[in-house]
Amino acid sequence: MAAKEGEMAISTDDDAAFQTFYTEVKQIEKRDSVLTPAQQIERLTRPGSSYFNLNPFEVLQIDPEATDEEIKKRFRQLSILVHPDKNQDDADRAQKAFEAVDKAYKLLLDQEQKKRIIDVIHAGKENVEHMMEKKKKQLKKDGKVMVVEEDDPEMFRQAVYKQTMKLFAELEIKRKEREAKEMHERKRQREEEIEAQEKAKREREWQKNFEVTEHPPVYGLDVLMHSLATRSCCSAGWISSEGGSEQSAGNLK
């Protein structure tokens, strides 16, 4: 439910609101060119950063075509800048910023993950280009000049940024939904296992009690002979005792 609500929130973002956000981000990035710790911490922990930081190239502020060595160098720069030990006056946010930088770097170290991320970025660009083509076809059909706002390089960058962010957000929502589903399935299976174990235990106990009731214990031959001998002795003693009493009565006579 929460994932669906998040998806609806993303899909209903107002273009004007996004434009304001994008402008603010670019202003921050421009200021970040001097690489001050406070500005980097602000950028990496701003509201909505859980989604904005899904693109590791954006987190590290580096081009997708950057080499592994360039990525490593950029990671070192940012990790030093935002490290909690160097920002003790804002340690909590610095820790979050450091974790974002560290996560981004580790993702890009994994070549398979890196390829997937680049594929998403390329898909975002292709979506924008496809959208531009549709707009121009419609303009041509209407007999208008085939010029769209995305023809401007800066507007094109904004459109790609927006589309890429949406793609990363959609993938993250799907991932969370998949994890929730898998967790629910594991919980269900565990509950079924526990129930099966308890049922088997109850059946064993019932079977044990049934066998005791239907088939009383059968004692060994030695026990049986001892029991018979005990009874015989008791009977003989009683007869002897009775005979002795009669003899005593005769003597008295």
Side-chain angles (χ1 to χ4, degrees):
M1 187 60 140
K4 288 184 179 179
E5 289 176 357
E7 188 172 2
M8 288 175 63
I10 292 169
S11 62
T12 57
D13 278 347
D14 185 81
D15 286 341
F18 177 81
Q19 181 62 39
T20 301
F21 159 75
Y22 184 85
T23 302
E24 291 175 352
V25 169
K26 289 304 171 185
Q27 288 174 350
I28 291 172
E29 289 180 351
K30 187 176 180 180
R31 295 197 305 269
D32 286 345
S33 61
V34 295
L35 300 177
T36 65
Q39 290 164 354
Q40 288 290 358
I41 291 171
E42 174 64 26
R43 179 179 71 87
L44 294 167
T45 61
R46 64 191 185 273
S49 59
S50 59
Y51 282 105
F52 302 141
N53 292 345
L54 291 173
N55 183 349
F57 288 105
E58 285 289 337
V59 172
L60 298 180
Q61 293 181 309
I62 199 165
D63 194 84
E65 280 73 37
T67 65
D68 290 346
E69 188 60 34
E70 289 172 333
I71 292 171
K72 184 177 181 180
K73 182 179 178 180
R74 183 59 176 165
F75 164 71
R76 286 177 176 173
Q77 289 176 332
L78 285 177
S79 61
I80 291 172
L81 283 171
V82 302
H83 198 285
D85 290 348
K86 295 185 177 294
N87 297 276
Q88 295 185 6
D89 57 332
D90 196 6
D92 290 342
R93 290 206 311 158
Q95 180 63 36
K96 291 179 181 178
F98 179 80
E99 289 171 359
V101 171
D102 185 61
K103 181 179 179 181
Y105 178 60
K106 287 178 178 177
L107 281 171
L108 296 181
L109 279 181
D110 186 326
Q111 295 304 312
E112 189 174 338
Q113 289 280 7
K114 182 180 178 181
K115 182 180 181 304
R116 290 198 189 103
I117 292 162
I118 291 176
D119 286 344
V120 174
I121 295 171
H122 287 167
K125 183 179 179 181
E126 289 171 2
N127 288 350
V128 172
E129 290 172 344
H130 179 67
M131 178 193 66
M132 290 173 66
E133 287 178 9
K134 287 180 67 177
K135 283 184 178 181
K136 289 184 177 182
K137 283 181 181 179
Q138 186 62 45
L139 289 171
K140 183 178 180 180
K141 184 178 179 181
D142 296 341
K144 297 179 181 179
V145 179
M146 292 189 298
V147 177
V148 294
E149 61 179 359
E150 289 83 9
D151 285 329
D152 178 87
E154 182 58 28
M155 295 302 293
F156 179 77
R157 284 182 56 199
Q158 289 185 27
V160 171
Y161 180 88
K162 179 180 178 180
Q163 188 62 225
T164 302
M165 185 181 72
K166 282 188 174 182
L167 290 176
F168 275 112
E170 287 169 2
L171 289 172
E172 179 66 5
I173 288 169
K174 289 178 181 178
R175 184 189 68 80
K176 288 182 178 180
E177 287 178 343
R178 186 171 59 253
E179 282 188 354
K181 185 177 180 180
E182 290 173 353
M183 185 180 296
H184 176 75
E185 181 63 20
R186 288 195 297 270
K187 182 181 178 182
R188 185 188 64 79
Q189 290 178 355
R190 181 55 183 159
E191 288 174 349
E192 288 180 354
E193 289 174 1
I194 293 172
E195 177 60 26
Q197 291 171 1
E198 291 178 349
K199 183 179 179 182
K201 183 180 179 181
R202 289 194 298 270
E203 288 178 351
R204 287 195 301 269
E205 290 176 351
W206 182 87
Q207 186 67 26
K208 182 179 178 181
N209 294 334
F210 175 78
E211 290 175 354
V212 170
T213 305
E214 281 292 307
H215 307 287
V218 178
Y219 297 106
L221 182 60
D222 291 342
V223 175
L224 183 60
M225 294 299 292
H226 177 73
S227 177
L228 292 173
T230 302
R231 290 182 182 179
S232 298
C233 289
C234 289
S235 299
W238 179 79
I239 294 170
S240 174
S241 175
E242 202 174 56
S245 298
E246 291 177 355
Q247 185 176 4
S248 297
N251 290 334
L252 288 173
K253 289 179 182 180

